[in-house]
Amino acid sequence: MADAKTEPLLTPVVDDDGAPFWEYAARGELRIQACAKDACGELRWPPRPCCPHCQSFDTEWRRMTGKARIWSYAVPHPPLLPAYAALAPYNTALVELTDAPRIRLAGNVVAKAGAPPNSVPPDRLRIGARVQVVFADQAGFVVPQWVLERP
Ligand code: ZN
């Protein structure tokens, strides 16, 4: 079995458009990019330079409550990357933000902030279950994770 300490977990690839997301996450804030044109204001994910609704390049980052529901989830099966094989079985989830139901973020449902992705048994997960964002430092990156409202 691989040693998770020597095999780093995957870290986000940050580009110019997405950089603010990670900067806000490092402060413990979940923010989603939005069109800053008054007549539009549409949220968009993933981050990109131009609004697909009105073609404006005006952008702001709107703070979310961090409440969401599990839209879907998976329990990956081998073969897995070595660092992840050591954690199996674990979950990966797509959560749908309560503030913006069309925005879905990928992540892990965990027992508490900073807990590993295998800290919640897969049989505790249900599509539609309410979750709340928490933030954890993973290999030098602060990433959003999700905890069940009713564990
Ligand atoms: Zn727009």
Side-chain angles (χ1 to χ4, degrees), residues 34-37 39-42 44 50-56 58:
C35 179
K37 191 173 171 185
C40 180
E42 289 282 334
R44 59 182 187 261
C50 178
C51 176
H53 304 280
C54 73
Q55 289 72 52
S56 171
D58 295 339

Side-chain angles (χ1 to χ4, degrees), residues 4 28 40 44 47 49 62 73 78 83 103 108-109 112-113 130 136-137 148 150:
C40 180
R44 59 182 187 261
R62 210 168 294 157
Y73 68 95
I103 306 282
N108 304 110
V109 179
K112 63 179 184 179
R130 292 174 191 273
D137 191 312
L148 291 166
R150 295 182 183 180

